[in-house]
Amino acid sequence: MKELKRVLLKLSGEALAKDGAYNEDEIKRIAGQVKVLYDKGVDVCIVIGGGNIWRGRTGVEIDRPKSDTIGMLATVMNCIYVSEHFRYAGMKTAVLTPFVCGSFTELFSKDLANRYFEEHRVLFFAGGTGHPFFSTDTGMALRAIELNVDMILAAKAIDGVYDKDPAKYPDAVRFDRISIDEVVEKQLGVIDLFASCLLLEHRIPMRIFSLYEENSIQNALSDDFNGTEVTTD
């Protein structure tokens, strides 16, 4: 595949969790893989979900906007925590949010993000879009579009895109390659539909793979990739 200059890595919050706490070993493994890309000069930005801390209103009577606000703050906590692991691994980082968050983060702007890329920092985009009713998938798509990333790398608990839920259907078939048009048309649920439509409109490709395979993040930028390539053609 062609050399990529800028990528956005999407991680689930659940991937960071183990027995109700942060999975230190997994976070260090992620940092080590990103460090390989970082040392090659690739611009890396990261969006992390908040599902390890807050999964919406399950079992709780709470207003949806307030619930989403809690979820946004959960992503801020995750990004600050993972960012520190990246610093310890030898990378310069910055955590940017779409809302003022005291001195803990910096307010996102495209100009600031590009300046930090010039300083060779790994950028963490926390807080989603800053608005309720939008998922971190939508925040991921927006940042990818604004910063003209070459590709989105979606590291998941599942190893790609299937024609139906493989957890429910043993005969589910994985796609090695599928167009973003088909993902939207078939509503395959890879990422939320609104985010998929944004990526369709702006023709941003994506690679979806299992986070838990050895060197899966590094391999996502090589011919050793094992997952589903979501194309724009």
Side-chain angles (χ1 to χ4, degrees), residues 15 27 31 37 67 70 74 79 88 96 124 132 144 154 158 173 180 183 193-194 201 230:
I27 295 170
L37 306 182
S67 176
I70 296 169
C79 283
Y88 187 80
L96 307 181
F124 288 81
I158 192 171
V173 177
I180 187 66
V183 168
L193 184 59
F194 185 57
E201 180 180 355
V230 181

Side-chain angles (χ1 to χ4, degrees), residues 38 49 65 82 91 134 170 178 180 183 223 230:
Y38 179 87
V82 177
M91 292 171 273
F134 294 100
I178 189 171
I180 187 66
V183 168
D223 293 332
V230 181

Side-chain angles (χ1 to χ4, degrees), residues 34-51:
V34 173
K35 182 66 160 57
V36 173
L37 306 182
Y38 179 87
D39 288 343
K40 290 179 179 179
V42 178
D43 289 342
V44 180
C45 47
I46 298 176
V47 171
I48 305 176

